[in-house]
Structure formats: structure tokens, C-alpha cells
Amino acid sequence: MNDAQETQITRKDEREAKLPPKSNFSEWYHELLKSAEIVDVRYPVKGMSVWYPFGFALRSHVYQIIKELLDVDHYETQFPLLIPETEFMKEAEHIKGFEDEVYWVTHGGRDPLEVKLALRPTSETAIYPMLKLWIRSHADLPLRIYQIVNTFRYETKHTRPLIRLREITSFKEAHTAHATWEEAAMQVEIAVQRYIEFYRRLAIPCLVSKRPSWDKFPGADYSIALDVIMPDGRTLQVGTAHLLGTNFAKTYEITYEDEHGEQRYVNQTCYGISERCIAALIAVHGDDKGLVLPWRVAPVQVVIVPIIFGDREPILEVCRSIESALARRNIRVRLDDGDERPGAKFYKWEMRGVPVRIEIGPRDIKNGVVTIVRRDGVRKTLPMGDGLVDAILAEAEELQAVLYNRAKEFMDSKIKLVSSLDEARSQVQSGVARVPWCGSVECGHALEDQVGANLLGEPRGDEIPPMGCLICGRESTGSTYMARQY
RNA sequence: GGGGUUGUAGGGUAGCCUGGUCCAUCCUACAGCGUUCGGGACGCUGUGACCUGAGUUCGAAUCUCAGCAACCCCA
């Protein structure tokens, strides 16, 4: 091998090494956030990063789905960022859960404030004093509102972009009030179903479990959580729904007059999703070449790459006519007529997860076809003409199914029912263990200690054959997921 | 919570141990011109950096301390 060849190879390796393999998840994730222009972590405050325009467009399309799902029977609102200390400190258990992570505004200009103001870590204490004013009678119930806002938590653990932040930029939080506990419990169930549907539209399967009592939302009767299994086998909590019962209603005196003229406390729920859903989207579908985005949320759904030989114009003309045919059907299409060579464009748009690429060159034009390449690697030639747009939409649908099935298969392969502590310890190194558990708090803590992982909680509606609790040995059909969590 | 590593152009790096050779290396990116274009093109020309602060010193990218920030591993 001569020097020239050696140099060639070195340079090619350097180029390909730009994105580490997905098997090295942590580094792959960080590099991808930058290369695909999702968020820029270089903002000079710890735990706060900036959405690139491309990342923000992705975020907008994703949150559009949440809005659609909620707008059926919720109203969108917006409450202030600042919460007076006096309101924030009313609910004891809630304070205990959050006060170590609160940013405080203590000054207005140079003057110290008489009442400190908290930057919301979540908005219960901002919203509930107003619900007290808004809710008068049973006719006002059920009340369902949500907002999409930023929240602030002074995280002491290591921050991680989109996953553990000091400013959560995209917290969708819903709050509901109902006449009875049962209705509120039903609302929690509805919320969970909406969230499952939300993630299904992102082609992401989730684990759903009831969090153990020591891990529920501060001030809740119970909490249901959705978790996604990340490529490295750790889990990411990507949604929660909490039954608050009358806990907050009593503190904030939120009452309604029932049919018999009596004042009763409302029963409340709250449920939330943050930009962790974007982290999950990236982690679950991405591959060694970059992002892989479901059609529905891709900022660019179709990219057209002209393959030019000699005369540009005839080829570009065909590209433009296809571009406008797609645009007329509200498809987000981009004609990449830049100066780079086709190969460079392929890599660029693959990094950004574009679901469908169309290549048009002299050969295609001669044959009356276009070449399409789906982001999952499937390559086809489709006839040019009236049916092309529909054919591409069909490909998009197929891609969606491929992504979901692939993700589901991965998730299932990462969950294992274990029958000993040793087996549990080994399983949580690379996935989720389903662990027989009697349900007691003592055994739960003992499991976390001895397995070295967290209890996610009881899987819902899915019993295991009777087995002995791994700690106390009592026979039980109960179990819990255990995993190392993000 | 504990430990480790790191901070040099838009991005990635060399130099740091052993202070002066450095108006700082190479790759990439960006701008201009030309030839190109079916999987990361090439030539020529040009642009651009030592995290912040203090200290040691005749002299600091290099040594010391502090701050800020980032990443990795473990709990």
C-alpha cells in the first residue's frame, strides 16, 4: 500500500467516524443531537440548551400530536412562570418533593422582594389557587385544561440534554378536576390511553406501570408511568399520570356545590409529558447513520436529490414538477439543488432522518421513473406520473409500521421474567427484569438494594404465574419491572 | 451522592509532561473561482482559535489555585 492510499483510507475513516456507532449509545446520542441539529448544548448555563431550528420544527410536529389528542376535551391555557412562596409552600408533601430543586427570584431590580417568587418546577401551586376561583358548581365539572410551558428544576445530578435538564422547555402538563374520586381515577386511565396512543403515533412502544408508593408524585394518591427502554437497556420515564384525589383540593379549598346544595372537595388529576419524548424518539429509531423519523413528525418528509450530468435544467425541471406535486398535497418536501455531490446529500439528509428520498437522474427520466429510498434502507423505482404522490404516501405508512414493529421487537427482547436475585442483577445490566414481588414496601426496598436497580412498578393487567417473592418467598401473582433508570 | 477525564477556529484535533522554537499543526467547515455530479469530488485562493479570573515568571496554550462548562464511569 502506498502513502496516497493510506491517506485516503485514514481520511475516509475519519469521516465515517463522525457519528459513533449506536452501540456506544451515550456518545452516539450526544453527537447526533449536534450533527442532526436538534439542540445545541453550548449555551453557557448548566443543564440548559438551545433548540436548533430543525430540532424545534421536530418538536413542533411532535407536540402537535399531543395537542390534537388533548384538544378533543381539554382547553389549552397558560399560567405564569412565577409562583409566590406563600402559595408554593401550602401543600406539605408537595414541598418536600420539590423544595430542594426550586430556583427562587429574590430581587426586583436592586430591591429584595417581600415575598420570594419560585420559578415553577411544575404548576400545581400556580394553577390550583385559580381553580378555586373558577370552580363553583357541579356544572363546572369535569374541568380539563393543559399548558405547554417551560419549568425549572435545580438538578443536582448530572444533566443530560433533553433528558435531565434544569430548564425543561416543553412541559405539557394537564390538570383536571372531577366530582368524584372514581371519575378522577377514570380520567387517569384515559390520560394513560392517550399517552399510549401518542407514543404509538411516534412508533414507540412503552411499558406502563404503577409506580411504587415511595416513588409516586409528591401529593398524589398514586402515579402511573410510561417508560421507554433505551438502546443501552436503561429506561426513560416519558410520561406520568397522577391521581391527586382531594389532597390539593383540601389545601387550596377547591370546592363545588353538588346537586343537593352541599359544598364538596373536587377530585383532581394531573399528567405530563416533556421533551423526553423527543429523546425517546431519537434513541428508539435512530441508527448508525443518524436520525430516523416517522413521517408524521419529520420536518422534511421528502427530499429530492437531482443527479446531474451535463445540462442541469432538464433534470431540475422534472424535480421541480415533482416537488410542487408533493407540496400541493401538503407534504413537507425539499429539493436539494445545492452544489454538493449526490453522495454528500444522501448522508446529510439521512443524518436528519428524512423518511423518503427521491433520486432523479437522466436514467430515471429516460425510463419514466423515479428512484426512492426509504430511511429504513428500502429502495424502489416508482413510475412517474399521477400516482406518484399516493405511492409515496403508501411508503410512508409502511415505514411507520416497520419502525413500530422493529421497536416493539427490541423492547420485548429487552424484558425478561427472572426467578432469582442473581438473574435479576444480571438482567438489569442490559435490560428490564420482570421480578416476582409480593408488593410490600419492605420487600420492594430490599429488591432495589440487592438488585442494584429501581422498581418501575407493577405492570398493568398482566399477571405472572404464581411465583415466590424474591425477598420474602410468599407466593404471589404480582411482579414489578426493575431497571436502571435515566 | 462518589470518582475520573477534559476545555485550543463553526466542528474535530496537534502542541502541554520538559515555559521561549507557536503572529500555533493537520483534517473538516465556511467564502470566491473553475472543473465536476447514480453513496461523503478535486484544484487554486482566502477566513477563522489557546474557557474565564487570579497567581508564579523576564516570559504562560503550557505550571499553580479558583470559577464556569462539558463528557464518561459507579451508586
Side-chain angles (χ1 to χ4, degrees), chain A residues 82-89 104 115-118 125:
Chain A
L82 298 176
I83 305 171
E85 184 180 21
T86 43
E87 294 298 337
F88 187 77
M89 298 306 251
W104 289 103
V115 178
K116 286 195 293 182
L117 299 168
T125 57

Side-chain angles (χ1 to χ4, degrees), chain A residues 17 40 59 96 102 223 247 277 329-330 385 414 427 470:
Chain A
D40 193 332
R59 189 204 93 125
K96 228 190 298 165
V102 173
S223 296
N247 300 333
C277 65
R329 299 280 295 273
N330 294 321
K414 285 287 179 183
Q427 174 61 17
L470 291 194

Side-chain angles (χ1 to χ4, degrees), chain A residues 181 184 219-221 242-249 266-269:
Chain A
W181 194 91
D221 286 352
H242 313 289
L243 182 73
L244 304 179
T246 55
N247 300 333
F248 284 87
V266 299
N267 280 268
Q268 292 174 276
T269 78

